[in-house]
PDB file of all heavy atoms in Angstrom:
ATOM      1  N   VAL A  21     -21.000 -26.246  36.320  1.00 71.00           N
ATOM      2  CA  VAL A  21     -21.297 -27.616  35.904  1.00 71.00           C
ATOM      3  C   VAL A  21     -21.796 -28.414  37.103  1.00 71.00           C
ATOM      4  O   VAL A  21     -22.776 -29.145  37.019  1.00 71.00           O
ATOM      5  CB  VAL A  21     -20.065 -28.281  35.258  1.00 71.00           C
ATOM      6  CG1 VAL A  21     -20.296 -29.761  35.040  1.00 71.00           C
ATOM      7  CG2 VAL A  21     -19.737 -27.602  33.936  1.00 71.00           C
ATOM      8  N   LEU A  24     -25.360 -27.829  37.871  1.00 83.00           N
ATOM      9  CA  LEU A  24     -26.292 -28.422  36.918  1.00 83.00           C
ATOM     10  C   LEU A  24     -26.515 -29.911  37.174  1.00 83.00           C
ATOM     11  O   LEU A  24     -27.575 -30.447  36.857  1.00 83.00           O
ATOM     12  CB  LEU A  24     -25.787 -28.233  35.490  1.00 83.00           C
ATOM     13  CG  LEU A  24     -25.714 -26.785  35.015  1.00 83.00           C
ATOM     14  CD1 LEU A  24     -25.099 -26.726  33.629  1.00 83.00           C
ATOM     15  CD2 LEU A  24     -27.083 -26.146  35.013  1.00 83.00           C
ATOM     16  N   GLN A  25     -25.512 -30.576  37.730  1.00 87.00           N
ATOM     17  CA  GLN A  25     -25.633 -32.010  37.985  1.00 87.00           C
ATOM     18  C   GLN A  25     -26.792 -32.264  38.941  1.00 87.00           C
ATOM     19  O   GLN A  25     -26.937 -31.600  39.961  1.00 87.00           O
ATOM     20  CB  GLN A  25     -24.334 -32.574  38.540  1.00 87.00           C
ATOM     21  CG  GLN A  25     -23.220 -32.561  37.520  1.00 87.00           C
ATOM     22  CD  GLN A  25     -21.866 -32.902  38.110  1.00 87.00           C
ATOM     23  OE1 GLN A  25     -21.587 -32.643  39.268  1.00 87.00           O
ATOM     24  NE2 GLN A  25     -21.012 -33.482  37.282  1.00 87.00           N
ATOM     25  N   GLY A  26     -27.630 -33.202  38.568  1.00 91.00           N
ATOM     26  CA  GLY A  26     -28.796 -33.537  39.375  1.00 91.00           C
ATOM     27  C   GLY A  26     -30.043 -32.755  39.025  1.00 91.00           C
ATOM     28  O   GLY A  26     -31.132 -33.059  39.523  1.00 91.00           O
ATOM     29  N   GLN A  27     -29.910 -31.747  38.163  1.00 92.00           N
ATOM     30  CA  GLN A  27     -31.079 -30.963  37.753  1.00 92.00           C
ATOM     31  C   GLN A  27     -31.989 -31.817  36.860  1.00 92.00           C
ATOM     32  O   GLN A  27     -31.525 -32.647  36.089  1.00 92.00           O
ATOM     33  CB  GLN A  27     -30.652 -29.720  36.968  1.00 92.00           C
ATOM     34  CG  GLN A  27     -29.895 -28.706  37.781  1.00 92.00           C
ATOM     35  CD  GLN A  27     -30.800 -27.951  38.735  1.00 92.00           C
ATOM     36  OE1 GLN A  27     -31.942 -27.650  38.416  1.00 92.00           O
ATOM     37  NE2 GLN A  27     -30.279 -27.642  39.907  1.00 92.00           N
ATOM     38  N   VAL A  29     -34.472 -32.650  33.770  1.00 93.00           N
ATOM     39  CA  VAL A  29     -34.581 -32.300  32.351  1.00 93.00           C
ATOM     40  C   VAL A  29     -35.968 -32.727  31.886  1.00 93.00           C
ATOM     41  O   VAL A  29     -36.397 -33.856  32.130  1.00 93.00           O
ATOM     42  CB  VAL A  29     -33.491 -33.012  31.515  1.00 93.00           C
ATOM     43  CG1 VAL A  29     -33.671 -32.717  30.032  1.00 93.00           C
ATOM     44  CG2 VAL A  29     -32.104 -32.605  31.982  1.00 93.00           C
ATOM     45  N   GLY A  38     -35.253 -37.026  32.569  1.00 93.00           N
ATOM     46  CA  GLY A  38     -34.314 -37.589  33.535  1.00 93.00           C
ATOM     47  C   GLY A  38     -33.573 -36.489  34.268  1.00 93.00           C
ATOM     48  O   GLY A  38     -34.023 -35.340  34.304  1.00 93.00           O
ATOM     49  N   ARG A  39     -32.443 -36.868  34.842  1.00 93.00           N
ATOM     50  CA  ARG A  39     -31.614 -35.896  35.567  1.00 93.00           C
ATOM     51  C   ARG A  39     -30.252 -35.778  34.901  1.00 93.00           C
ATOM     52  O   ARG A  39     -29.733 -36.750  34.346  1.00 93.00           O
ATOM     53  CB  ARG A  39     -31.401 -36.331  37.007  1.00 93.00           C
ATOM     54  CG  ARG A  39     -32.612 -36.140  37.875  1.00 93.00           C
ATOM     55  CD  ARG A  39     -32.264 -36.454  39.321  1.00 93.00           C
ATOM     56  NE  ARG A  39     -33.430 -36.315  40.155  1.00 93.00           N
ATOM     57  CZ  ARG A  39     -33.528 -35.441  41.131  1.00 93.00           C
ATOM     58  NH1 ARG A  39     -32.529 -34.649  41.417  1.00 93.00           N
ATOM     59  NH2 ARG A  39     -34.623 -35.365  41.849  1.00 93.00           N
ATOM     60  N   ILE A  40     -29.673 -34.595  34.985  1.00 91.00           N
ATOM     61  CA  ILE A  40     -28.337 -34.375  34.425  1.00 91.00           C
ATOM     62  C   ILE A  40     -27.316 -35.059  35.317  1.00 91.00           C
ATOM     63  O   ILE A  40     -27.195 -34.733  36.498  1.00 91.00           O
ATOM     64  CB  ILE A  40     -28.016 -32.869  34.311  1.00 91.00           C
ATOM     65  CG1 ILE A  40     -29.006 -32.177  33.381  1.00 91.00           C
ATOM     66  CG2 ILE A  40     -26.574 -32.673  33.845  1.00 91.00           C
ATOM     67  CD1 ILE A  40     -28.875 -30.665  33.335  1.00 91.00           C
ATOM     68  N   ALA A  41     -26.606 -36.029  34.742  1.00 90.00           N
ATOM     69  CA  ALA A  41     -25.543 -36.718  35.477  1.00 90.00           C
ATOM     70  C   ALA A  41     -24.229 -35.960  35.307  1.00 90.00           C
ATOM     71  O   ALA A  41     -23.442 -35.863  36.242  1.00 90.00           O
ATOM     72  CB  ALA A  41     -25.395 -38.152  34.979  1.00 90.00           C
ATOM     73  N   ASP A  42     -24.004 -35.429  34.104  1.00 88.00           N
ATOM     74  CA  ASP A  42     -22.776 -34.675  33.836  1.00 88.00           C
ATOM     75  C   ASP A  42     -22.941 -33.895  32.545  1.00 88.00           C
ATOM     76  O   ASP A  42     -23.888 -34.107  31.793  1.00 88.00           O
ATOM     77  CB  ASP A  42     -21.581 -35.619  33.729  1.00 88.00           C
ATOM     78  CG  ASP A  42     -20.280 -34.968  34.174  1.00 88.00           C
ATOM     79  OD1 ASP A  42     -20.236 -33.725  34.345  1.00 88.00           O
ATOM     80  OD2 ASP A  42     -19.292 -35.694  34.365  1.00 88.00           O
ATOM     81  N   ILE A  43     -21.987 -33.001  32.298  1.00 85.00           N
ATOM     82  CA  ILE A  43     -21.997 -32.170  31.098  1.00 85.00           C
ATOM     83  C   ILE A  43     -20.618 -32.222  30.465  1.00 85.00           C
ATOM     84  O   ILE A  43     -19.608 -32.095  31.162  1.00 85.00           O
ATOM     85  CB  ILE A  43     -22.349 -30.708  31.447  1.00 85.00           C
ATOM     86  CG1 ILE A  43     -23.746 -30.650  32.056  1.00 85.00           C
ATOM     87  CG2 ILE A  43     -22.273 -29.827  30.216  1.00 85.00           C
ATOM     88  CD1 ILE A  43     -24.115 -29.310  32.589  1.00 85.00           C
ATOM     89  N   LEU A  54     -25.008 -33.401  27.141  1.00 85.00           N
ATOM     90  CA  LEU A  54     -25.461 -33.741  28.484  1.00 85.00           C
ATOM     91  C   LEU A  54     -25.454 -35.244  28.614  1.00 85.00           C
ATOM     92  O   LEU A  54     -25.832 -35.952  27.680  1.00 85.00           O
ATOM     93  CB  LEU A  54     -26.899 -33.292  28.711  1.00 85.00           C
ATOM     94  CG  LEU A  54     -27.220 -31.824  28.784  1.00 85.00           C
ATOM     95  CD1 LEU A  54     -28.722 -31.664  28.995  1.00 85.00           C
ATOM     96  CD2 LEU A  54     -26.459 -31.158  29.897  1.00 85.00           C
ATOM     97  N   ILE A  55     -25.048 -35.708  29.757  1.00 89.00           N
ATOM     98  CA  ILE A  55     -25.254 -37.110  30.098  1.00 89.00           C
ATOM     99  C   ILE A  55     -26.483 -37.095  30.988  1.00 89.00           C
ATOM    100  O   ILE A  55     -26.462 -36.545  32.091  1.00 89.00           O
ATOM    101  CB  ILE A  55     -24.045 -37.710  30.827  1.00 89.00           C
ATOM    102  CG1 ILE A  55     -22.796 -37.611  29.950  1.00 89.00           C
ATOM    103  CG2 ILE A  55     -24.338 -39.163  31.215  1.00 89.00           C
ATOM    104  CD1 ILE A  55     -21.513 -37.962  30.663  1.00 89.00           C
ATOM    105  N   VAL A  56     -27.579 -37.639  30.476  1.00 91.00           N
ATOM    106  CA  VAL A  56     -28.851 -37.622  31.194  1.00 91.00           C
ATOM    107  C   VAL A  56     -29.165 -39.034  31.652  1.00 91.00           C
ATOM    108  O   VAL A  56     -29.202 -39.966  30.856  1.00 91.00           O
ATOM    109  CB  VAL A  56     -29.990 -37.070  30.311  1.00 91.00           C
ATOM    110  CG1 VAL A  56     -31.328 -37.164  31.018  1.00 91.00           C
ATOM    111  CG2 VAL A  56     -29.699 -35.625  29.931  1.00 91.00           C
ATOM    112  N   SER A  57     -29.365 -39.167  32.941  1.00 91.00           N
ATOM    113  CA  SER A  57     -29.736 -40.440  33.539  1.00 91.00           C
ATOM    114  C   SER A  57     -31.250 -40.556  33.507  1.00 91.00           C
ATOM    115  O   SER A  57     -31.945 -39.749  34.123  1.00 91.00           O
ATOM    116  CB  SER A  57     -29.209 -40.504  34.974  1.00 91.00           C
ATOM    117  OG  SER A  57     -29.461 -41.769  35.521  1.00 91.00           O
ATOM    118  N   ASP A  65     -28.357 -44.137  30.860  1.00 87.00           N
ATOM    119  CA  ASP A  65     -27.801 -42.842  30.481  1.00 87.00           C
ATOM    120  C   ASP A  65     -27.825 -42.641  28.973  1.00 87.00           C
ATOM    121  O   ASP A  65     -27.587 -43.572  28.207  1.00 87.00           O
ATOM    122  CB  ASP A  65     -26.355 -42.708  30.968  1.00 87.00           C
ATOM    123  CG  ASP A  65     -26.251 -42.670  32.480  1.00 87.00           C
ATOM    124  OD1 ASP A  65     -27.275 -42.443  33.141  1.00 87.00           O
ATOM    125  OD2 ASP A  65     -25.144 -42.873  33.001  1.00 87.00           O
TER     126      ASP A  65
END
Side-chain angles (χ1 to χ4, degrees):
V21 170
L24 295 176
Q25 292 171 330
Q27 293 286 324
V29 176
R39 285 186 182 243
I40 299 173
D42 210 348
I43 298 173
L54 291 179
I55 301 170
V56 175
S57 185
D65 294 344

